[in-house]
Amino acid sequence: MWNRSKLYAAAKILNGALRPRPYLAQVFYPLPPPRRVCSEDSLFHRDSKIFDGSLHHFHLFRIARCTIYSGSPYSTSPGHGDGLVCWKCGEPAPLAGPFLSCVSCRAVQPVDSSVDYFQIFGQERRYELKGENLERIYKEWQKKLHPDLVHSKSEKEKSYADEQSARVIDAYRTLSEPLSRALYLLQLAGILVDEENTIGDPELLAEMMDVREAIEEASDQKTLKEIQSQIRRKHQEWSKSFKDAFDKRDFDFAIIATQRMRYYERAIEEIVKKL
Amino acid sequence: MADEIYTVAYDSETSADERAKPVPADIAIGIDIGTSKCSFAIWNGAEVEVLQNTQIQSTIPSHVLFKDEMPPEGFSYEVPRSGAEILSGSDAFNMKRLIGRVDTDPVVKSSKMLPFMVQTFGIGQIPLIAVPVNNVWRSTTPEEVLAIFLAELKENAEHKLKRPIRKAVLTVPISFSRLQLTRIEQACAMAGIHVFRLMPEPTAVALLYAQQQQQQIIHENMGSGMEKVALIFSMGAGFCDVAITITAGGVSQIKALLGIPVGGEDMLQNIIHYLFPDFGSLEKMKSNRLLRIAVQNAIHELSSQTSVEVKVDLRDGKIKSRSLTRVEFEEVNHKVFVKCEKLIAQCLLDARLTAEDLSDVILVGGCSSVPKIRSLVLSLCKKEDSYDGIDPLEASVRGAATEGAIASGASDASGSLDLLTIQVTTTSLGIRVDGGDFVPIIRRNTSVPVRKEMVFTTANDDQAEALVVVYEGESRRAEENIILGYFKITGIPSGPRGSAEVGICMDVDTSNVLRVYGGAHLLRTQQAVSPFLEVRMPMADIGQGWSVQALVKIYGSTMDLAATPPNEVQK
């Protein structure tokens, strides 16, 4: 049986109580209302008596959702289905590629939430990204969309620029990180995984406690780096498992893979802090 | 008047007729208000020109002298012209360290060693600042002092450019809260300057760096060029800031920003304390000033010498003399250096980069000439030498003037203004939930523009109204962060606690304006009950956390919001 302090330490690393991750901050997701996925039998609910007063501490950052739905009350965009011509000069949208700014008059277009993040970056809706450098495309979009570059234009266009630019920033961040990219893919498939979900898999728990102990006991950089590369390898393995599961539409396993990835990332972060 | 024009090195290939390009009428000037010195610069159509005041100085001491003549409207003031005037004891300075801070702030407490009155009660209010004028202590405020020399800068610039100046880009420390930024805007308004943009100091330097990289690529015809990663370390008299930027093709993405209110002033005070422990009472103000200047000069000399003799003629027959070695200086200021090291390490961590990823390290600010600072930054960044294309003392103001030109819509035939900087937020922004926890909605180091929403729920059954209290900061406890404002959401559909849905959205635009939107959703839909309320933050004159205590006293937890527990809001 695990003792209390050990459990506490495990809980800390597993639930990221040290510092919540900036992942999954999703803006303008083009989604139907998501289906929520929760682990039914979480460690803390089973053992909540042990934790009594400190229990709520772990729930501190457990905000379930941070999504903005299309047509939310703050959006200035008229939504999609407007007919794809430039609002300013009437030029039709190009046949290929997302229509974020007009090729003819360079006017920034209103946000069309049916365009997903993969389309913005010219990628297929798959976990593995193809060749092209995201950072380069990101910067190219910003050159066309960033509100600082439309300063002489109308308020209307400036607000479009604000929204488009923010959306491209979010798209870039979401796609450039393996975990957030995986979660976004699931979300596009209609599945929302809770960010701070507790974990019930005893095997993973035991493994993570061992890792934590190893990190704590590691006395030199060399050992830490060894642990780090071990965890990185595991992260890669599970990243591949996610890809395979997602390709097979095995969403239950894909969700398990994202949980693994999250905990490995946290462990890597712990190590980086100590290095 | 000598009219020396500062030429930016990378601009030397610009041809003469490009230089003759007309300057758009209303280009914003760049202003660097430092803790100890300020300067101003403008894009003249071809390059950035650092302007000089009527005394032909390109930097002006950030001091304001209060005169003992008594004009009818009260008292007069001016920017001091000489060291002797500074010694008269009627001046106020270091106001950038004090602006927008309350009397419980450690920075205010440490300002008690300054040779003017800083009166505090330790109750979370603005301190009283006063200088002696004609045997009376005259009170003033940091905003007033800043406004006076901003007005002086404006007047000088108008005289020089022969046109009215309306807009300005100012550089500010990263660690400034939104409340402090508001105070800077107020000071500018008092001086008749419209703030076009406030940019964190190292990001102004990042802009210059991006410009130089871009010009080099155009010059060497290298196509779109490589991506360059630079760490910028900026340390002046009052503040220490670190930024990491990734630049390619004229577009810079700021990756991480981190700053603390630690600077040369802290080192100066440590050394004064070390050499002359009996220093510091208001009664001996004149001798204190003499000591201050002598020690300051000694520290400057220690940048090139290993030991120095501090000799102060106190002008009352007494001469104080002490020797100071560089080793002593570094020991006494050990804590300051440790703080700098931590700042750099954390900034790299935030940017998820390591020293090996850095292409260049840029050191700017007055303290960048301190040997220990140089060596610690370079060793942490694993570099032999720092980037040498940027003048450490003019970097900030030049960057601000460049941003002023870009934001004013100026263009340049050589393409040196085709630049874009994607800024990030400097603090986390969020709200208070569950009676006192802080939940960030927009996290620190998020690229702007950004808009994010989170859904919260009610803490009580049939709760029709909810109080939204907005904070900025990194603490998990709301009260330890800085309050920016509050408002009430009404018309929440009734139901058991945890069932209602309240949407809070935060929006930061590229001018760093924060807007908070809030409203109740109809249950199980994303439809708003009524139009959302939009509030610009910080709200004017928000009462330093007292207001929240008052709200809690009156309403208790009846209007609290709660984080939605995921297991209870199953769909």
Side-chain angles (χ1 to χ4, degrees):
Chain A
M1 210 40 210
W2 298 319
N3 66 35
R4 189 176 161 170
S5 71
K6 217 173 165 187
L7 206 56
Y8 184 88
K12 249 184 145 169
I13 190 166
L14 286 174
N15 287 313
L18 296 171
R19 178 119 201 122
R21 300 301 307 261
Y23 284 144
L24 249 192
Q26 302 124 357
V27 191
F28 307 122
Y29 269 6
L31 284 181
R35 175 158 69 89
R36 185 172 305 283
V37 178
C38 291
S39 69
E40 289 152 37
D41 191 15
S42 78
L43 174 75
F44 298 111
H45 291 119
R46 224 181 337 178
D47 286 349
S48 58
K49 272 190 200 126
I50 301 176
F51 289 92
D52 45 55
S54 59
L55 178 69
H56 86 279
H57 186 62
F58 294 108
H59 293 254
L60 190 76
F61 288 93
R62 229 201 242 189
I63 303 304
R65 280 174 293 146
C66 40
T67 45
I68 284 195
Y69 303 89
S70 52
S72 80
Y74 338 99
S75 181
T76 58
S77 67
H80 41 99
D82 265 19
L84 288 172
V85 292
C86 173
W87 60 273
K88 205 171 177 183
C89 70
E91 180 82 10
L95 292 172
F99 186 43
L100 309 189
S101 75
C102 177
V103 274
S104 165
C105 71
R106 303 174 63 99
V108 179
Q109 301 300 311
V111 166
D112 175 356
S113 49
S114 69
V115 175
D116 72 41
Y117 290 178
F118 289 94
Q119 287 170 295
I120 292 175
F121 284 89
Q123 294 277 346
E124 278 177 57
R125 207 187 264 195
R126 299 190 52 183
Y127 179 68
E128 275 194 334
L129 299 174
K130 292 241 168 71
E132 282 246 62
N133 181 350
L134 286 186
E135 176 103 13
R136 190 185 62 75
I137 304 174
Y138 164 68
K139 284 180 172 164
E140 264 166 28
W141 275 128
Q142 292 298 351
K143 274 188 188 171
K144 291 178 186 156
L145 304 172
H146 198 275
D148 280 4
L149 303 177
V150 295
H151 44 71
S152 54
K153 296 179 184 167
S154 63
E155 278 304 306
K156 182 178 172 185
E157 189 170 353
K158 210 168 150 18
S159 74
Y160 290 158
D162 271 327
E163 286 177 20
Q164 288 285 22
S165 179
R167 192 154 188 265
V168 170
I169 287 170
D170 203 57
Y172 169 63
R173 210 196 28 224
T174 304
L175 296 195
S176 54
E177 300 279 345
L179 177 58
S180 54
R181 187 166 69 241
L183 293 172
Y184 180 64
L185 270 173
L186 286 173
Q187 188 140 14
L188 289 177
I191 299 160
L192 182 65
V193 184
D194 269 318
E195 191 177 345
E196 293 298 335
N197 222 343
T198 47
I199 194 87
D201 178 0
E203 190 196 328
L204 175 58
L205 264 178
E207 186 188 325
M208 290 314 294
M209 264 187 290
D210 289 346
V211 167
R212 191 183 170 86
E213 241 167 53
I215 296 172
E216 260 172 18
E217 282 161 19
S219 50
D220 56 281
Q221 297 234 332
K222 192 167 159 272
T223 324
L224 277 172
K225 282 197 169 141
E226 267 167 27
I227 303 170
Q228 191 183 27
S229 64
Q230 273 174 24
I231 297 176
R232 285 224 170 105
R233 260 200 308 282
K234 284 191 172 156
H235 184 277
Q236 274 165 10
E237 283 164 20
W238 280 96
S239 176
K240 177 146 190 331
S241 303
F242 175 85
K243 180 195 161 290
D244 296 341
F246 189 81
D247 285 349
K248 282 187 281 185
R249 318 301 276 175
D250 180 355
F251 295 139
D252 288 336
F253 195 73
I255 291 165
I256 292 172
T258 61
Q259 285 173 340
R260 288 274 181 164
M261 285 161 75
R262 174 175 302 129
Y263 296 127
Y264 292 133
E265 283 183 11
R266 282 198 184 130
I268 291 169
E269 201 172 74
E270 289 293 302
I271 296 170
V272 170
K273 265 187 205 158
K274 258 196 104 175
L275 272 173
Chain B
M1 196 193 298
D3 224 348
E4 193 193 337
I5 290 177
Y6 290 74
T7 319
V8 188
Y10 51 80
D11 247 2
S12 54
E13 67 273 13
T14 319
S15 69
D17 50 298
E18 275 167 359
R19 274 164 198 271
K21 248 180 106 255
V23 185
D26 198 15
I27 285 194
I29 65 167
I31 300 177
D32 172 22
I33 28 166
T35 307
S36 69
K37 289 188 177 74
C38 12
S39 51
F40 55 128
I42 192 159
W43 175 261
N44 66 10
E47 65 198 10
V48 165
E49 186 182 340
V50 177
L51 300 172
Q52 297 169 329
N53 70 357
T54 47
Q55 272 69 50
I56 327 172
Q57 299 164 304
S58 59
T59 57
I60 298 138
S62 302
H63 285 242
V64 165
L65 190 66
F66 291 79
K67 291 277 198 179
D68 57 358
E69 302 126 25
M70 294 284 280
E73 64 269 29
F75 56 98
S76 71
Y77 34 68
E78 60 185 56
V79 176
R81 312 289 178 198
S82 68
E85 282 189 328
I86 288 174
L87 280 177
S88 71
S90 300
D91 65 327
F93 58 96
N94 264 15
M95 290 300 135
K96 195 178 168 190
R97 292 257 281 193
L98 292 167
I99 195 164
R101 287 183 199 275
V102 292
D103 57 11
T104 44
D105 192 314
V107 176
V108 172
K109 286 181 193 158
S110 78
S111 297
K112 294 223 155 204
M113 274 179 77
L114 296 175
F116 49 81
M117 185 191 282
V118 180
Q119 207 179 70
T120 58
F121 294 96
I123 55 163
Q125 278 300 333
I126 301 288
L128 174 78
I129 294 160
V131 292
V133 181
N134 206 13
N135 273 328
V136 175
W137 287 96
R138 287 274 172 206
S139 77
T140 181
T141 62
E143 290 85 341
E144 184 182 46
V145 173
L146 282 179
I148 291 164
F149 55 70
L150 281 169
E152 168 93 3
L153 288 177
K154 179 176 188 265
E155 199 179 298
N156 272 301
E158 287 177 339
H159 175 76
K160 195 98 187 166
L161 301 168
K162 312 225 167 3
R163 69 169 172 92
I165 299 288
R166 284 188 291 269
K167 299 184 290 188
V169 172
L170 284 88
T171 56
V172 289
I174 289 170
S175 56
F176 262 22
S177 70
R178 283 176 186 273
L179 285 174
Q180 288 175 297
L181 297 180
T182 311
R183 303 280 180 201
I184 295 281
E185 282 172 0
Q186 283 169 1
C188 287
M190 284 161 79
I193 296 171
H194 169 67
V195 176
F196 210 41
R197 189 155 293 188
L198 296 175
M199 67 189 311
E201 273 149 27
T203 69
V205 183
L207 184 63
L208 287 187
Y209 177 73
Q211 191 183 43
Q212 296 186 359
Q213 298 307 311
Q214 180 69 349
Q215 289 292 303
Q216 199 182 344
I217 286 158
I218 293 169
H219 190 58
E220 292 165 12
N221 204 8
M222 296 195 318
S224 62
M226 285 275 292
E227 192 167 81
K228 292 280 194 101
V229 186
L231 181 139
I232 297 149
F233 180 90
S234 160
M235 192 174 185
F239 300 87
C240 179
D241 289 342
V242 184
I244 294 171
T245 176
I246 299 190
T247 182
V251 183
S252 309
Q253 170 74 53
I254 305 294
K255 281 283 169 189
L257 292 176
L258 203 59
I260 43 172
V262 168
E265 176 66 28
D266 297 276
M267 295 195 234
L268 175 62
Q269 288 190 9
N270 289 343
I271 295 297
I272 292 173
H273 220 74
Y274 171 72
L275 293 179
F276 310 104
D278 54 341
F279 169 91
S281 68
L282 273 179
E283 289 69 40
K284 292 189 280 180
M285 217 165 55
K286 193 159 197 173
S287 54
N288 286 348
R289 275 164 193 269
L290 289 164
L291 275 176
R292 224 185 124 79
I293 292 167
V295 175
Q296 205 159 14
N297 293 338
I299 292 174
H300 285 294
E301 281 172 40
L302 278 183
S303 290
S304 50
Q305 293 162 224
T306 51
S307 79
V308 68
E309 195 70 20
V310 189
K311 211 170 180 182
V312 197
D313 182 353
L314 292 177
R315 298 186 193 171
D316 54 359
K318 276 183 259 168
I319 291 178
K320 286 203 173 202
S321 180
R322 283 287 309 268
S323 73
L324 179 68
T325 66
R326 194 188 281 178
V327 175
E328 278 176 287
F329 171 80
E330 288 171 6
E331 273 168 16
V332 171
N333 288 307
H334 178 70
K335 278 187 185 160
V336 173
F337 300 132
V338 170
K339 282 180 188 166
C340 296
E341 284 175 338
K342 279 191 181 156
L343 202 65
I344 296 169
Q346 184 61 47
C347 197
L348 278 165
L349 211 60
D350 291 345
R352 299 200 194 180
L353 293 170
T354 60
E356 285 78 12
D357 297 317
L358 300 173
S359 330
D360 286 300
V361 175
I362 307 168
L363 281 115
V364 296
C367 291
S368 64
S369 58
V370 174
K372 177 71 186 174
I373 294 281
R374 288 193 68 82
S375 67
L376 79 85
V377 176
L378 290 176
S379 89
L380 268 175
C381 297
K382 299 184 180 158
K383 286 275 175 299
E384 290 290 308
D385 215 342
S386 60
Y387 183 76
D388 62 359
I390 288 175
D391 181 326
L393 299 180
E394 290 183 351
S396 214
V397 72
R398 283 183 179 280
T402 309
E403 176 70 19
I406 296 168
S408 306
S411 61
D412 179 61
S414 68
S416 67
L417 292 182
D418 295 340
L419 300 168
L420 172 66
T421 307
I422 301 163
Q423 294 277 5
V424 296
T425 54
T426 53
T427 50
S428 296
L429 300 160
I431 66 163
R432 169 180 170 270
V433 295
D434 298 334
D437 291 338
F438 173 71
V439 172
I441 295 178
I442 297 177
R443 290 182 188 281
R444 195 163 71 80
N445 289 331
T446 301
S447 299
V448 294
V450 60
R451 174 178 287 192
K452 286 204 171 130
E453 189 201 9
M454 277 196 189
V455 178
F456 297 88
T457 189
T458 46
N460 305 294
D461 294 338
D462 293 323
Q463 185 181 327
E465 298 183 328
L467 186 66
V468 179
V469 191
V470 179
Y471 290 88
E472 71 173 343
E474 311 310 320
S475 172
R476 302 159 131 258
R477 299 291 306 157
E479 69 206 32
E480 288 165 15
N481 293 321
I482 295 169
I483 181 173
L484 299 177
Y486 49 85
F487 61 90
K488 188 166 76 175
I489 289 170
T490 56
I492 300 171
S494 66
R497 72 193 170 96
S499 66
E501 294 191 2
V502 174
I504 306 292
C505 176
M506 291 190 171
D507 180 309
V508 177
D509 69 14
T510 52
S511 306
N512 199 26
V513 173
L514 167 65
R515 289 185 178 83
V516 183
Y517 306 78
H521 288 161
L522 285 170
L523 229 48
R524 310 251 184 282
T525 71
Q526 274 73 50
Q527 298 301 309
V529 170
S530 58
F532 270 44
L533 181 60
E534 175 191 326
V535 185
R536 200 174 150 157
M537 305 256 171
M539 281 162 41
D541 289 320
I542 181 90
Q544 318 299 341
W546 284 16
S547 42
V548 172
Q549 286 169 25
L551 286 167
V552 168
K553 202 173 163 192
I554 296 172
Y555 298 102
S557 62
T558 57
M559 293 212 289
D560 267 15
L561 277 173
T564 48
N567 294 328
E568 286 171 33
V569 204
Q570 292 268 10
K571 287 196 183 222

